[in-house]
Amino acid sequence: MIDSSLLDQVKTVFAPLVSQYTFKVNRDVKDKHTASFTAFLEDLASCSDHISCEYHDGEKFSFSLLRDRQDTGIRFKGIPNGHEFTSLLLAILNADHKGKNLPDATLTRRIKALKGKIKLQTYVSLTCTNCPDVIQALNVMALTNPNITNEMIDGELYQDDITRLNIQGVPSVYANGELLHVGRGDLGTLLQELEDKIGTTHDEDAQKIERNYDILILGGGPAGCAAAIYSARKGLKTAIVAERIGGQVNDTTGIENIVSIPKTTGTKLAGDLRNHLQNYPIDIFDNRKITEVHLLDKTKTVTARGGEIFKAPAVIIATGASWRRLGLKDEDKYIGHGIHFCPHCDGPFYKGKNVAVIGGGNSGIEAAIDLAGICNHVTVFEFGEKMKADEVLQKKIHSLGNVDIFMNSQTTEVQGDGQKLTGITVKDLKTEKSRQFNFDGIFVQIGLYPNSDPFKKDLELTARHEVPVDAFDRTKVTGVYAAGDVSTVPFKQIMIAMGEGAKAALAAFEDRIRGVI
């Protein structure tokens, strides 16, 4: 079932395994999927003498991962094929302490401090590009804390669950039977949500950890990574504190406008950024949530959830931006239940249905084009008098027969039945008349919101919540710089963010040698 060339690669990956691993399978031999699913696991097991399969009678196909006959807490309902194939490989490597995404000491303490037994069930689509990040993060938690189990569930195979739970977006994570998380997520985000929902002893027991540097880079996107590399090249003791390396790049499917790189993917670029950082003596603290900053003193202080305190005379803010929301009543209620941000992940749930895309820029029109190939009908609402998308995208969207486009349109209300979205109200900005539309789902693509909230106490922000900077990326506070999408620099592009990150680092170094900081 698995391609022979891929199996050869897996053999190389599994060559260093030390422990013995068992796929403990429950299956119904009469089920139509059993033969192919069994062949998949047998193929994988054939890649190493350290892996075997054992079979038990059951209902639908599922299996758990054992290490030296002990349960690792990692389970799969269905087969982790497609984008989830890496999740299974990493589960085995991480169980053998040979993976690359294992938590550091601070995160490990926080995971172990979660209270009680936690049963996680994560519904995925094998075509979802965001689901593996969530599965892999939760699998790491299961390996770290013996009181945690995580079960990947292929939503396509468990349609009864999907209907019963009214799941309209993936990944959907349930903790002890209650919804915890929907959509993209990383280890830091998921851990924080579990701490808030389940409880933790960490805050009661934790001792403050203080770390001192010459310069702190806040944010791990293109701007932050460039700033860190340029700072390290100047010989500065550098730390990067970020929720995830790559930032929003991780959520970008295709990238074709980085000069000298004709085409890449967001996932690959994020990996390349991390590899480049690791070529320098840069301390990487990812999966961190900044909770407090003090920037006005000569020594700047940044506190992250979990008790870590970072200090430096210079700080570069490169925290990027997040998907902008509509800001309407009940919007939060229906996120993941009719309101979505990722057409690649959640579009398949709307096959043959009617959806709307809010936004006529590049991301909105690209989303509409993708959805038009899946859905019965797509309606695009653009706030302005004309679309802002590139000409090639506009030509493509106008060539499609199942897409309507409304200009001068403002979404003013969302409607739902308490469980899922049923429609929206849209105002025509020319006539001032409102009209209600019924949709099965909507995809919000109205740009980005700067991640500047932690800094608003010490820095004066613009009306768009951006951090104002001068031509050298200096803010009005000595020793504080900003770069990339969080700043007032125009044109939010990866190339520009990289350049601005480098410029901010050079400005900070210049201020250092001049004795300004």
Side-chain angles (χ1 to χ4, degrees):
M1 183 176 177
I2 303 176
D3 181 80
S4 59
S5 61
L6 180 57
L7 287 175
D8 289 337
Q9 296 177 48
V10 174
K11 289 176 183 177
T12 301
V13 170
F14 283 162
L17 292 179
V18 174
S19 295
Q20 293 293 323
Y21 294 92
T22 306
F23 298 139
K24 185 177 179 181
V25 180
N26 291 308
R27 62 179 182 173
D28 178 358
V29 293
K30 297 179 180 178
D31 186 88
K32 63 180 180 180
H33 298 291
T34 295
S36 61
F37 287 179
T38 300
F40 177 96
L41 289 184
E42 290 284 357
D43 283 350
L44 199 59
S46 72
C47 294
S48 173
D49 292 338
H50 290 265
I51 304 175
S52 61
C53 300
E54 69 174 47
Y55 299 100
H56 303 268
D57 291 336
E59 296 182 357
K60 290 185 179 179
F61 197 97
S62 66
F63 68 98
S64 55
L65 178 65
L66 308 184
R67 176 184 57 211
D68 296 331
R69 301 304 305 166
Q70 299 298 311
D71 190 358
T72 62
I74 295 174
R75 294 156 192 177
F76 298 88
K77 278 189 169 182
I79 284 293
N81 209 339
H83 288 295
E84 290 298 344
F85 184 62
T86 303
S87 297
L88 178 54
L89 300 187
L90 270 177
I92 296 171
L93 291 174
N94 286 341
D96 216 58
H97 307 290
K98 294 180 176 61
K100 294 184 178 181
N101 65 338
L102 292 168
D104 57 37
T106 298
L107 292 173
T108 297
R109 284 195 296 271
R110 288 175 61 190
I111 294 169
K112 288 182 176 180
L114 289 167
K115 291 183 177 179
K117 290 191 175 295
I118 305 171
K119 179 182 179 181
L120 300 170
Q121 294 174 298
T122 308
Y123 291 86
V124 306
S125 165
L126 300 183
T127 62
C128 170
T129 56
N130 288 325
C131 290
D133 289 339
V134 171
I135 290 295
Q136 290 162 25
L138 297 178
N139 283 347
V140 162
M141 291 191 199
L143 290 171
T144 305
N145 185 333
N147 289 320
I148 298 175
T149 61
N150 181 50
E151 185 173 59
M152 184 217 83
I153 303 173
D154 181 357
E156 185 175 349
L157 294 178
Y158 288 82
Q159 284 296 318
D160 290 346
D161 285 3
I162 297 296
T163 300
R164 175 175 56 83
L165 297 170
N166 193 34
I167 293 174
Q168 293 181 299
V170 290
S172 287
V173 183
Y174 288 78
N176 294 338
E178 295 184 7
L179 183 64
L180 174 75
H181 177 92
V182 178
R184 63 174 65 90
D186 51 42
L187 178 60
T189 299
L190 294 159
L191 176 54
Q192 180 176 325
E193 290 173 344
L194 278 170
E195 288 172 333
D196 291 342
K197 190 176 186 70
I198 303 296
T200 176
T201 62
H202 184 274
D203 294 336
E204 303 164 11
D205 304 333
Q207 295 180 347
K208 297 296 183 184
I209 302 169
E210 187 173 305
R211 309 180 192 277
N212 292 277
Y213 291 90
D214 295 327
I215 190 165
L216 293 175
I217 316 299
L218 309 183
C225 290
I229 289 167
Y230 267 70
S231 296
R233 285 176 62 85
K234 291 297 186 182
L236 301 182
K237 185 180 180 183
T238 304
I240 187 166
V241 182
E243 293 193 16
R244 56 179 176 166
I245 300 302
Q248 285 289 327
V249 161
N250 289 279
D251 306 321
T252 305
T253 304
I255 301 170
E256 301 179 3
N257 57 355
I258 297 180
V259 178
S260 83
I261 304 175
K263 189 171 184 177
T264 187
T265 66
T267 302
K268 186 177 187 306
L269 179 57
D272 290 342
L273 289 172
R274 182 182 288 276
N275 288 338
H276 202 167
L277 290 171
Q278 291 172 338
N279 283 330
Y280 292 93
I282 298 169
D283 288 345
I284 301 173
F285 298 94
D286 55 351
N287 294 301
R288 264 44 176 204
K289 177 74 172 178
I290 295 172
T291 58
E292 189 177 359
V293 298
H294 296 281
L295 303 177
L296 301 182
D297 295 334
K298 185 174 178 62
T299 298
K300 321 301 180 186
T301 302
V302 177
T303 303
R305 184 158 183 166
E308 288 171 296
I309 298 174
F310 301 89
K311 292 186 174 183
V315 169
I316 296 176
I317 299 169
T319 45
S322 302
W323 292 113
R324 189 180 295 274
R325 296 187 179 186
L326 295 170
L328 301 176
K329 180 183 177 183
D330 288 339
E331 181 179 7
D332 288 346
K333 179 191 293 186
Y334 296 118
I335 289 176
H337 298 279
I339 298 178
H340 307 276
F341 300 92
C342 179
H344 306 291
C345 303
D346 300 332
F349 285 94
Y350 294 91
K351 183 177 182 180
K353 297 183 178 181
N354 300 321
V355 302
V357 173
I358 315 299
N362 281 345
S363 60
I365 299 308
E366 287 174 353
I369 291 169
D370 289 342
L371 291 166
I374 301 171
C375 302
N376 175 59
H377 194 274
V378 179
T379 305
V380 177
F381 295 101
E382 163 57 35
F383 186 86
E385 293 186 352
K386 60 181 181 180
M387 287 189 291
K388 298 182 287 292
D390 293 342
E391 188 65 28
V392 63
L393 294 175
Q394 293 194 40
K395 287 182 179 179
K396 176 63 176 178
I397 198 75
H398 285 303
S399 73
L400 302 176
N402 64 334
V403 177
D404 286 333
I405 301 172
F406 291 86
M407 314 305 298
N408 301 294
S409 299
Q410 179 184 9
T411 306
T412 57
E413 292 182 36
V414 297
Q415 288 90 36
D417 60 10
Q419 292 188 316
K420 64 181 185 299
L421 175 129
T422 56
I424 59 176
T425 299
V426 179
K427 182 171 74 173
D428 186 313
L429 296 175
K430 281 191 171 181
T431 66
E432 294 294 319
K433 292 182 178 180
S434 293
R435 178 181 171 187
Q436 184 171 339
F437 293 81
N438 294 325
F439 293 112
D440 298 298
I442 66 171
F443 290 80
V444 181
Q445 303 281 300
I446 56 175
L448 300 171
Y449 182 90
N451 295 323
S452 59
D453 283 354
F455 318 108
K456 62 185 178 183
K457 178 173 63 72
D458 290 347
L459 300 177
E460 184 178 343
L461 307 178
T462 68
R464 296 175 60 86
H465 299 273
E466 294 172 331
V467 178
V469 293
D470 64 12
F472 295 87
D473 287 337
R474 297 182 176 103
T475 71
K476 290 184 178 181
V477 176
T478 301
V480 179
Y481 313 80
D485 289 3
V486 74
S487 76
T488 50
V489 171
F491 309 119
K492 312 303 187 185
Q493 298 289 314
I494 293 171
M495 283 279 293
I496 292 172
M498 288 179 174
E500 293 298 315
K503 186 167 67 174
L506 294 174
F509 182 73
E510 181 179 88
D511 287 349
R512 182 183 178 89
I513 61 176
R514 289 172 52 226
V516 176
I517 57 174

